Amino acid sequence: MSEYDYSGLYDSPQKPESNQTGSADRSQAQTSAGGYPNVGSSGMNTANTARTDYSGSETAGSTADSAGSQQPGDSSFHSYSSPNPGGPGAGGPTGPAHPGAGSQPPRPPKKKGGRKVGLRVLAGLGVVVLGFGGGVAGTAAANLLGLGHDQVVVQQVQRDATATAQGSADGSALSMVDLSAKVKPSVVAITTEQMVSTNTWFGSYVQSGAGSGVILSEDGYILTCAHVVSGANTITVQLADNTEYSATLVGADSTSDVAVLKIEATGLTPATIGDSSALAVGETVVAVGNPMGTLSGTVTDGIVSAVNRSVQVEGNDMSLIQTNAAISPGNSGGGLFNAAGELIGIVNASGSTTTSSGAVSQNLGFAIPINEGMEVATQLIETGHVARPALGIQVINILDAQTAMQYGVSTYGVYVVRINPGSGAEAAGLQLGDRIVAVDNNSVNENNDLTSYLATKNVGDTVTLQVERDGRMSTLEVVLGESDGTTTAATQEDAQN
């Protein structure tokens, strides 16, 4: 058994099976034209790639405030229910101890004037009653506000509707020194390990990976990228003060590349959640993370180069923030902060690569907008998975003559290879071998056309499929169910089983 060092995490030839629920396998890093590798992925699943050039479609057989204080008027508390709240962990930062409730002040000596003494006793009882009532009222208010013991409380800004300054920072920019000092305590380094089996006499070995994460709550919820922790058997989180904790995976969603971890600690410094919908091209940002897996707490600065940039990551069409802040392997899962120190994105991809023509692309970094990231994180914390509409099928892309010949079809397209029992597709009469031609009159030429459209719908919606079966066209009405978290696309091996 041997352990890989971090310098070779991102070009590993291994493609092991994932052993972690909710995780997805990641394909090997692309260094060809248009490849944008996800950075910081675990060594056992090498970096994903992203592309904006869709001409090369995949074919069958491919798988696709200092220290966290909250200032009045700057932000408000938002709470997210948690099915498995974490309590204080041994060794974690804690608050001051409370004095014992049973301690009593010394009884004063009796004095003359019993009436005055009686009034004082009544006054004391009044204070006690008021104090108890205040505690009850406070508890009730906390419960009404969703701040009970089983809630995850995050700090989230509310953008001033009357503000005239453009950009998510609302014109309240910090100096770079103050900005760095504010955000660094909220970013953690993540290391992972996985036992990888081989087909040789070597048996198995430990493969290591590294990435970054951002603290969401003072009691240990951490936001990161799904590809950072995909397949990991053990996950270790290192805080800015170098304290280390074992982490558990609350949930991961490969489609959005978002995952949530939990460590048993209290008194942490959570990031203040910003508003990525207010981002403007040209505003200052800093990226904070763990580049190369060994340089935790690194801060790099830049600007927002573009918003709503369409990028394809591992077959998933994503709308990302583009920045020229330096992004390196290990930065994935780290924070992208605006000039006010608010978290506006989760770094997940870098585009520094050499194309087939020899040209080198530089200063291309991408981040998941925090508004979308928090929507996914909320569902992961509450339910452990993300509810997405699904037809209840698996399909395969047949996009070349060789594959078409192998499957005995004469037309390229998207073919049904599996139908989930009890699904809307089964109820509608969809059959194996059907070629999906269109959904709601939107042409379907490959799987991404189908999944991209379904992403705009909701569970319970009805869609109309146009399918070809035995040379004849049919129209089927399918009620969308809830995705079970598996990918819609199937591999050749899946199709043949």
Side-chain angles (χ1 to χ4, degrees), residues 118-129:
L119 290 174
R120 288 171 182 163
V121 171
L122 289 175
L125 288 173
V127 170
V128 172
V129 170

Side-chain angles (χ1 to χ4, degrees), residues 86-89 92-95 217-220 239 245 262-269:
T94 58
S217 66
E218 66 86 27
D219 62 340
L239 305 183
Y245 295 89
K262 180 68 171 66
I263 63 174
E264 297 302 317
T266 59
L268 304 181
T269 305

Side-chain angles (χ1 to χ4, degrees), residues 209-496:
S212 308
V214 182
I215 299 172
L216 288 181
S217 66
E218 66 86 27
D219 62 340
Y221 282 90
I222 295 170
L223 184 62
T224 187
C225 287
H227 76 264
V228 170
V229 296
S230 177
N233 296 117
T234 63
I235 305 171
T236 301
V237 168
Q238 184 184 63
L239 305 183
D241 64 1
N242 296 324
T243 307
E244 292 189 349
Y245 295 89
S246 294
T248 57
L249 180 63
V250 176
D253 178 62
S254 61
T255 300
S256 61
D257 198 18
V258 171
V260 177
L261 308 178
K262 180 68 171 66
I263 63 174
E264 297 302 317
T266 59
L268 304 181
T269 305
T272 299
I273 309 301
D275 181 6
S276 55
S277 68
L279 281 172
V281 173
E283 67 172 286
T284 298
V285 291
V286 296
V288 186
N290 182 31
M292 309 312 296
T294 58
L295 304 174
S296 60
T298 296
V299 179
T300 57
D301 69 320
I303 62 170
V304 174
S305 302
V307 295
N308 301 321
R309 181 70 80 192
S310 295
V311 177
Q312 192 177 93
V313 180
E314 193 63 13
N316 296 318
D317 292 323
M318 303 184 73
S319 181
L320 303 177
I321 303 165
Q322 182 182 334
T323 180
N324 68 339
I327 305 296
S328 302
N331 270 111
S332 249
L336 189 68
F337 298 86
N338 64 16
E342 301 158 358
L343 182 67
I344 47 86
I346 299 296
V347 175
N348 77 324
S350 170
S352 181
T353 187
T354 302
T355 67
S356 58
S357 63
V360 178
S361 60
Q362 296 179 337
N363 298 326
L364 292 176
F366 298 94
I368 303 164
I370 196 58
N371 291 12
E372 286 75 13
M374 285 303 298
E375 288 181 6
V376 174
T378 301
Q379 293 191 57
L380 292 177
I381 292 172
E382 292 177 345
T383 67
H385 71 283
V386 178
R388 286 195 175 88
L391 292 167
I393 61 175
Q394 283 191 312
V395 300
I396 191 168
N397 291 322
I398 297 181
L399 305 176
D400 60 83
Q402 181 178 356
T403 308
M405 184 179 298
Q406 178 181 352
Y407 286 93
V409 299
S410 58
T411 306
Y412 297 168
V414 178
Y415 288 81
V416 179
V417 297
R418 187 174 299 169
I419 300 175
N420 297 338
S423 65
E426 183 184 57
L430 206 65
Q431 297 181 10
L432 297 181
D434 285 351
R435 180 172 71 93
I436 300 178
V437 178
V439 53
D440 288 345
N441 296 318
N442 296 285
S443 178
V444 175
N445 298 310
E446 57 178 310
N447 176 56
N448 290 334
D449 297 331
L450 183 60
T451 56
S452 296
Y453 180 77
L454 293 180
T456 67
K457 312 300 287 184
N458 297 311
V459 175
D461 287 352
T462 299
V463 296
T464 301
L465 295 182
Q466 287 80 43
V467 302
E468 180 191 16
R469 181 186 303 165
D470 298 329
R472 296 183 178 182
M473 298 298 297
S474 300
T475 299
L476 302 175
E477 301 289 329
V478 181
V479 178
L480 298 177
E482 183 176 327
S483 171
D484 60 2
T486 60
T487 178
T488 304
T491 64
Q492 281 188 1
E493 183 178 354
D494 290 332
Q496 292 169 345

Side-chain angles (χ1 to χ4, degrees), residues 36-176:
Y36 297 140
N38 272 9
V39 292
S41 63
S42 299
M44 52 281 190
N45 21 253
T46 54
N48 295 331
T49 58
R51 60 185 174 88
T52 53
D53 177 12
Y54 299 107
S55 59
S57 301
E58 65 176 4
T59 59
S62 300
T63 55
D65 93 34
S66 59
S69 61
Q70 182 182 18
Q71 300 299 325
D74 292 341
S75 59
S76 63
F77 286 112
H78 286 231
S79 61
Y80 299 89
S81 298
S82 166
N84 55 343
T94 58
H98 295 284
S103 59
Q104 298 291 335
R107 180 176 296 178
K110 288 187 176 181
K111 296 183 179 179
K112 294 182 179 181
R115 183 178 181 183
K116 293 183 180 180
V117 173
L119 290 174
R120 288 171 182 163
V121 171
L122 289 175
L125 288 173
V127 170
V128 172
V129 170
L130 288 174
F132 177 76
V136 172
T139 301
N143 290 334
L144 289 173
L145 292 172
L147 303 180
H149 68 280
D150 60 345
Q151 304 293 319
V152 179
V153 181
V154 302
Q155 297 183 82
Q156 187 162 356
V157 300
Q158 296 295 328
R159 183 170 168 81
D160 187 356
T162 63
T164 57
Q166 188 175 7
S168 67
D170 220 12
S172 55
L174 301 173
S175 71
M176 196 59 63

